[in-house]
Amino acid sequence: MIRLKQMILMLCLILSGALCHAHGEAKTGNEKDWVPIPIDIKESTGASSSDRSSSILPSINGHVLTVVFNESLGQVSVEITTTSGASVQCLSVLTPNGLQVYIPNTGNYIVTFTLPNGDVYAGEFTVTD
């Protein structure tokens, strides 16, 4: 009986690993559609602040801006503006949750992230059809 339980648990473990691998492989075909957006620190509040730009991963696919936060940064303000300064979207997100924003018009944009400690990060991107 114990042997049977061990065998079933082992099969479940192997099957879950195979499904995770298959899911990852299926996503690989669509990755070339997503364009990562490089971000830079625009304002730092002091010497005690560390660079968190590697924790903010924005990308654009057509008209959809996707942002992934790979660590908890607190409540982050996100503002999307045109390069001329017209506001498109302002929102706030509790990290490490991510977000997706639909940008209806083509053109050049800037996404700005303001962390709770006052640090500001920004990146430029282009929306094309």
Side-chain angles (χ1 to χ4, degrees):
M1 187 65 176
I2 292 176
R3 205 86 153 125
L4 180 62
K5 285 183 183 178
Q6 288 177 342
M7 185 64 73
I8 291 173
L9 288 174
M10 187 60 81
L11 286 173
C12 288
L13 180 65
I14 291 171
L15 182 60
S16 66
L19 288 174
C20 288
H21 177 72
H23 181 69
E25 288 297 315
K27 283 186 157 183
T28 323
N30 294 332
E31 286 178 357
K32 41 187 120 150
D33 296 337
W34 294 94
V35 178
I37 301 169
I39 61 170
D40 298 313
I41 189 162
K42 297 296 179 190
E43 184 179 323
S44 180
T45 58
S48 64
S49 296
S50 60
D51 184 7
R52 299 284 191 189
S53 60
S54 62
S55 301
I56 306 169
L57 307 169
S59 61
I60 190 76
N61 181 10
H63 289 266
V64 178
L65 172 68
T66 301
V67 182
V68 175
F69 298 95
N70 61 11
E71 71 176 270
S72 181
L73 301 172
Q75 190 83 22
V76 176
S77 296
V78 181
E79 182 177 14
I80 303 167
T81 59
T82 62
T83 52
S84 62
S87 182
V88 176
Q89 182 94 14
C90 293
L91 51 108
S92 185
V93 63
L94 183 60
T95 61
N97 293 332
L99 65 101
Q100 283 190 328
V101 178
Y102 180 78
I103 301 169
N105 300 321
T106 60
N108 297 317
Y109 295 89
I110 299 171
V111 59
T112 305
F113 303 95
T114 305
L115 304 186
N117 67 359
D119 289 353
V120 179
Y121 298 86
E124 294 187 31
F125 63 97
T126 302
V127 174
T128 59
D129 278 331

